[in-house]
Amino acid sequence: MLYPQNNAHRRAYKLDGYWEFKKDPTAEGEALGWARGIDNTRTIAVPASWNEQANELYHYHGIAWYQTSFALNENDINERVVLRFSSVQYGAAVFINGHFAGEDRAPYLPFEWDVSDLVRSGDNLLVVKVNGEPLNEEPVRICDFYGYAGIDRHVFVCALPKAHITDIAVRAGADGKASIRVTASGEGNDAAVTAKIGDVPCALSKNGGCYTGELRLQNYERWSLENPALYPVNITLFDNGRAADSYKLKTGFRDIAVSGRQILLNGKPVYLKGFDKHEDFCVLGKGLSYALNVRDFDLMKWTGANSFRTSHYPYSEELLDLADREGFLVIDEAPFAGMDGTQFNDPKTCEKAVEYMKRLIDRDKNHPCVISYSIGNECDTADAASKKFFLPVIDAARQLDTRPLTYVAWTKPDEDNIYQYVDIIGLNRYYGWYPYENWPGSAAPGNIDAAVKQMDDCLRDFERVYTAPLIVTEFGADTIAGLHSTFMLQFSEEFQANFLRSYIRLIKRHPAVAGMHVWNFADFSTEQSPGRVMGNKKGVFTRERAPKQAAFILRREWLGESDDGLFCRGGGGAFKIPGE
Ligand code: BDP
């Protein structure tokens, strides 16, 4: 699905702003005719989760109704009008001018409908019924993160030409070759499509239902961490002898592959250093913020990170755009976290999982930053029934994309049923933090030396059983910013700094490991519980993005900063003490 854009042929109206909002705790809105409009509402901002926008909304996870209006002119309504939601948690039923437009429950993924028959010139009423939590049969769980709900990314109304481009897939390799596939709709038999990357044109030929072609750039720069060169791809659809539609996206020429124990970027081994993140910030909840994204990349770079995982769901398209521009390597995770036998044994849930995996790849396939899709996080894959769920997901992913697949879990090497089918093995380990009662000889919480020994054993066990690259996809310790201790006590900044440094140094000694992601980039909100002090505090940064001591340790481990450097350098370069 293409991201909305404005050009000579397309208009995209963003419906950001203040909307009207009404809770529906007894689910009676539909019967009361709220689809035709709601009254006695309160104001809510879009995009953003609703929970932190008002005291009365924080704990609300039921059904809620949103309403706004948008104006279209005569030109718009003579075209194909499409309504696009970039993501709504957890699913939306949508009504335009009182008529049903569509319903979709895909978590953290976009959906759109042709609403040409429902709109009129002038004002149009848009009403959205939102489910505040996922239905049981959906392959998505709110794990250790707060169940933020609402319209958390942009909503667009688009006017597209009747003959229009519906999809574009560009695969650009390190050798300068690009293959392009375009699908269109509403065009005549003599329609044609042209493509241009940079200055190099390419006529696409009609192949079954789509237009395909290849081109090669002679003078080009590869997309890499140091130089994330992006090239504009301009696609034009000609119908009846004239340009009917066009679309512009960006591509990067790069290869990603797994060979032996290594991940290769443009044929050279690349070591992943970075974080697991969450879409989570004060007031916004999971709401999109461009400024926050820029800040997060700045801080990730400042620590020396080159990559992150979108734990535990697809993040916004805008965030991936930024990763393309900034040269970050992303493990793009499907929303399948914490699945167990209940989901594995329900064929409808398994079918949905395949659909969502396909939709994730469809959305993200053109991003050079995406180096791997993670098919899930910490599911009960010791259960053989997990194959019923994951093998079709893996199969679907392999049919659509050549990117390596990752699976992330805490299962033991010989008991897991899924690792053998993926290309990269993600290990989540918390030795020395959580008591692992079921792991014989588990390190006591707080005992870093024993934890490191146990992590070492774990890596050796995996190295014996699997030949694929390993990534330590999670390790970390909750830390309350401002708590200090010389006794190496859990929750102190000193403990976290030491804990991370010890893990990192051990991990670096294992050549089978191709990377490490610290849990977590920043503190984030969770359901309240005795083990969570207003959220998960394993962030290297606080929720407000202030560094804990561990952030400076990462700089030293990942950038090779000296001790002096910890105190004398700002993020933007050398900081000179006046007079020195
Ligand atoms: C891991 C989960 C992650 C949690 C983390 C933790 O993948 O979602 O937040 O543990 O406990 O097992 O901090």
Side-chain angles (χ1 to χ4, degrees), residues 40 69 81 124 133 160 224 231 267 279 312 314 319 322 335 351 439 457 473 482 548 555 574:
N40 298 320
S69 67
V81 178
N124 291 271
E133 57 189 352
L160 304 178
S224 66
Y231 289 84
E279 287 188 321
H312 296 308
L319 186 94
L322 193 57
E351 237 173 72
W439 286 61
D457 291 345
T473 34
K548 299 180 193 169
R555 273 172 74 76

Side-chain angles (χ1 to χ4, degrees), residues 65 104 106 182 319 322 337 400 476 501 540 555 561 577:
W65 293 69
D104 205 306
V182 174
L319 186 94
L322 193 57
L400 291 175
R501 186 176 62 177
V540 165
R555 273 172 74 76
E561 281 265 345
I577 297 170

Side-chain angles (χ1 to χ4, degrees), residues 257-327:
V258 162
S259 169
R261 297 288 199 185
Q262 293 177 323
I263 298 172
L264 305 179
L265 177 63
N266 300 330
K268 290 200 207 107
V270 63
Y271 195 86
L272 307 188
K273 296 175 288 183
F275 300 96
D276 307 280
K277 288 184 95 269
H278 260 301
E279 287 188 321
D280 177 281
F281 197 62
C282 323
V283 184
L284 303 175
K286 293 203 171 304
L288 166 71
S289 158
Y290 294 101
L292 178 66
N293 288 347
V294 170
R295 180 69 180 130
D296 281 3
F297 276 81
D298 185 55
L299 289 175
M300 284 195 287
K301 275 192 182 172
W302 179 78
T303 62
N306 60 16
S307 99
F308 63 91
R309 173 168 63 117
T310 69
S311 43
H312 296 308
Y313 40 84
Y315 291 3
S316 70
E317 292 152 278
E318 293 80 358
L319 186 94
L320 295 182
D321 284 344
L322 193 57
D324 287 342
R325 294 162 70 121
E326 299 289 328

Side-chain angles (χ1 to χ4, degrees), residues 143-144 278 309 312 377-378 410 428 430 434 474 478 519 524 532 536 538:
C143 298
D144 184 30
H278 260 301
R309 173 168 63 117
H312 296 308
N377 180 78
E378 294 188 358
W410 43 259
N428 292 354
Y430 290 92
Y434 292 120
E474 286 187 28
D478 284 83
W519 189 267
F524 57 92
R532 292 286 174 262
N536 187 311
K538 295 194 186 69

